[in-house]
Amino acid sequence: AHTQGPRVTMEDTVSIDRSVDKKTLIVGLYDGHNGKQVSKFAADGIPAAYAKYKDLEKSFADVESPLEKSNIDHNRIGCTAIVATIENQGDDSQRLLKLANLGDSRAILVRKEKVVVETKDHKPNSTGERVRISEAGGYVTDIDGTPRMNGLIAVSRAFGDTSYKALMSHQP
């Protein structure tokens, strides 16, 4: 989220939110592409949706619907996401971590130099994604070593990118 690469402006958004309740922290990284508007929309929407549902999968779905009704150019602008909730349990000595991701935004939890939890990237060439895309009428091709959905986009799950709506998923 801190490297701009060849872009003139930063398109990513980071959110840290404790507004749900005093026991829950929501941290999100939204990796924008073709503009920052969708990453900002998702970063603002996920905490509010999580307060409503207390469920990340439902929260992701709840953000996509109003995005499609917004005046943001969501046909060509999108973002991948990694969101973590950390909830204090009982006497606050234990915490529950929940993770959800879209696209190639990734989280890895390491404890004592060992990977304990790792999210799975949603790339067009992974077996499950390739099948889902094909069943929706799309295809996956490799362009200069990068797998792309319908020869264009390198992720198969994201917020926005509604010009690919039949093929793109916003389910974490």
Side-chain angles (χ1 to χ4, degrees):
H2 298 292
T3 303
Q4 293 180 13
R7 292 174 182 80
V8 175
T9 61
M10 175 57 76
E11 298 176 338
D12 304 344
T13 304
V14 174
S15 68
I16 300 171
D17 190 285
R18 199 176 269 279
S19 67
V20 172
D21 57 47
K22 292 180 181 177
K23 292 186 168 207
T24 305
L25 176 67
I26 302 172
V27 180
L29 171 62
Y30 305 87
D31 183 0
H33 47 266
N34 293 327
K36 185 178 185 141
Q37 297 90 331
V38 171
S39 67
K40 177 76 170 110
F41 191 93
D44 291 342
I46 291 290
Y50 192 80
K52 184 173 164 183
Y53 298 110
K54 301 282 196 246
D55 179 278
L56 283 171
E57 192 168 326
K58 288 179 182 175
S59 299
F60 277 47
D62 198 60
V63 166
E64 184 67 19
S65 182
L67 173 62
E68 291 179 12
K69 296 173 186 159
S70 75
N71 61 359
I72 295 171
D73 182 7
H74 49 75
N75 286 318
R76 62 175 205 84
I77 300 171
C79 76
T80 63
I82 179 69
V83 178
T85 62
I86 304 166
E87 298 177 18
N88 290 337
Q89 302 289 300
D91 64 1
D92 294 343
S93 66
Q94 295 186 5
R95 290 172 181 78
L96 176 63
L97 172 69
K98 297 177 188 175
L99 295 169
N101 71 306
L102 287 180
D104 57 1
S105 292
R106 179 183 311 166
I108 302 171
L109 175 62
V110 177
R111 185 175 291 141
K112 295 182 182 177
E113 299 182 24
K114 294 190 184 209
V115 174
V116 178
V117 176
E118 181 176 9
T119 59
K120 178 184 167 199
D121 289 359
H122 300 117
K123 296 207 177 226
N125 65 332
S126 66
T127 304
E129 293 298 280
R130 185 182 293 270
V131 168
R132 185 183 62 72
I133 292 164
S134 177
E135 288 176 351
Y139 64 92
V140 177
T141 188
D142 189 293
I143 298 177
D144 296 326
T146 302
R148 295 187 179 272
M149 188 170 63
N150 280 13
L152 297 170
I153 191 164
V155 295
S156 54
R157 295 184 187 224
F159 288 117
D161 294 316
T162 53
S163 59
Y164 304 102
K165 185 173 181 164
L167 308 175
M168 185 70 70
S169 173
H170 59 268
Q171 302 263 320

